[in-house]
Amino acid sequence: MATTTPTRSPVAEAPIPNHQPEIRRARRKANLVGWLFISPIVVGVVAFQFFPILVSIGASLTDWNGISAPKFVGLRNFTELFGNDPLFIQTFKNTIYFTLASIPLTIGIGLVLALLCARPIRGVAFFRTAYFAPYVTNVVAIGFVWFWFFQPDNGVVNGLLDQIGIPGPQWLSSSTWAMPAVIMVSVWQGIGYPMIILLAGLQGLPAEYFESAKIDGAGAFQRLRFITLPLLTPHFLFLLITQFITSFQVFGLIYVMTKGGPGHATSVYIFNIYQNAFGFGKVGYASAMAWILFAVIAAVTFLQWKFQKRWVFYS
């Protein structure tokens, strides 16, 4: 007689709880808290950077003094800059002069100071601080101090030159010496930044490269030329880009020391923009100049980045 096995009644499985709504609510709450934390910065960036950029784009196409209603003129501001404004060309040349003179001196002297400050000598921390201090000092204070130093009759610079029998020039009142004087002050103030960047690069160089070079009989100059400088090329690229941008936007020293004189000898591009916008009430014209400056800086930065493979060594 066949026996049948009793079948078990199926037990209903418990439903899997759906936590997706709670997860989504928690994510929304976390995102909201994050946006609340960064909202002051976002509002500041939008209000004081993005919005002025949009306004300057529109203003560059108008005849506007910043107060009355703007008048649309299309590309007339740009055509006048290149065709009917000799001061635009002169200030552009002055800016190039300042840039080409100040960048090599600033980076070169900064490299020498970095090499000196990388040596394990007593009191080196003091010298690092002393060399870097002018970079973080207020540019207005620096300009006023050096303005008095360069006074032709009772200035410190001409006083020191008189001590060694050299007649000092008129400096800031001379169309020949005014720009070199500003360049000297700019280099004195700015060498601390490349010194710190290159000093950090020197401290990160692999020691085994130099040990191998010493074993092979390489001298100090050969190690500097064939090891140190090639390994620092990424730092040089960074400095060239940042120093070019900084030099092309020089304003504070010019405004405090020379006011663009004598005879526009030290009137640089940013100072010309400032005069047009706030001195002559030509805000639209100054906005067009600002966008030309942006195009020049962007183009030169792009070229520097594009051709880096030809000389930058990444170890």
Side-chain angles (χ1 to χ4, degrees):
M1 179 176 179
T3 59
T4 60
T5 303
T7 60
R8 298 172 60 185
S9 61
V11 179
E13 296 182 356
I16 300 176
N18 184 11
H19 296 291
Q20 293 299 321
E22 290 83 357
I23 294 175
R24 286 194 292 267
R25 284 195 295 269
R27 287 178 177 174
R28 286 196 296 266
K29 183 178 179 180
N31 292 337
L32 178 61
V33 172
W35 279 107
L36 288 176
F37 272 111
I38 67 173
S39 60
I41 298 177
V42 172
V43 171
V45 170
V46 172
F48 298 107
Q49 293 188 17
F50 290 162
F51 180 71
I53 289 174
L54 295 177
V55 171
S56 68
I57 295 174
S60 66
L61 304 176
T62 64
D63 181 8
W64 185 38
N65 60 6
I67 300 176
S68 61
K71 178 183 177 182
F72 181 77
V73 295
L75 299 177
R76 191 182 73 184
N77 290 328
F78 295 92
T79 57
E80 288 185 3
L81 281 171
F82 292 100
N84 302 318
D85 190 353
L87 186 57
F88 166 76
I89 303 298
Q90 181 178 354
T91 56
F92 197 85
K93 290 180 179 178
N94 290 342
T95 306
I96 294 176
Y97 172 28
F98 176 88
T99 301
L100 295 180
S102 62
I103 290 180
L105 290 173
T106 303
I107 297 179
I109 299 176
L111 173 62
V112 174
L113 295 179
L115 292 171
L116 294 175
C117 290
R119 300 172 65 86
I121 59 176
R122 187 175 182 180
V124 68
F126 167 78
F127 292 102
R128 293 175 182 175
T129 304
Y131 294 141
F132 186 73
Y135 181 75
V136 294
T137 304
N138 185 275
V139 66
V140 176
I142 291 176
F144 272 118
V145 170
W146 280 96
F147 173 81
W148 291 108
F149 281 179
F150 279 117
Q151 291 301 302
D153 298 327
N154 54 0
V156 174
V157 177
N158 279 358
L160 294 175
L161 292 176
D162 290 337
Q163 295 296 322
I164 57 177
I166 299 176
Q170 295 295 311
W171 293 113
L172 302 180
S173 58
S174 169
S175 58
T176 302
W177 288 100
M179 184 61 82
V182 175
I183 291 173
M184 283 189 285
V185 178
S186 175
V187 171
W188 174 82
Q189 181 196 13
I191 55 176
Y193 182 73
M195 182 202 71
I196 290 296
I197 297 297
L198 295 174
L199 180 60
L202 288 171
Q203 293 176 341
L205 297 183
E208 55 269 19
Y209 290 177
F210 299 92
E211 295 173 357
S212 300
K214 287 182 180 179
I215 295 174
D216 292 337
F221 179 76
Q222 290 176 316
R223 294 196 300 269
L224 173 65
R225 179 182 177 185
F226 296 106
I227 299 178
T228 304
L229 294 182
L231 292 177
L232 288 178
T233 48
H235 301 78
F236 287 128
L237 173 65
F238 172 77
L239 289 173
L240 284 174
I241 293 175
T242 55
Q243 291 296 308
F244 174 80
I245 295 173
T246 302
S247 298
F248 235 74
Q249 299 183 75
V250 60
F251 174 78
L253 290 177
I254 299 293
Y255 182 81
V256 175
M257 296 179 64
T258 65
K259 294 290 193 299
H264 302 294
T266 60
S267 182
V268 291
Y269 198 87
I270 290 292
F271 187 78
N272 193 13
I273 293 177
Y274 167 80
Q275 283 188 315
N276 277 287
F278 301 104
F280 308 142
K282 301 167 66 175
V283 177
Y285 197 73
S287 299
M289 293 182 63
W291 279 101
I292 292 175
L293 176 63
F294 168 78
V296 171
I297 292 178
V300 174
T301 303
F302 172 77
L303 292 176
Q304 288 175 319
W305 189 260
K306 182 178 178 60
F307 292 105
Q308 64 169 311
K309 295 180 180 179
R310 298 187 178 185
W311 64 279
V312 178
F313 174 76
Y314 293 100
S315 59

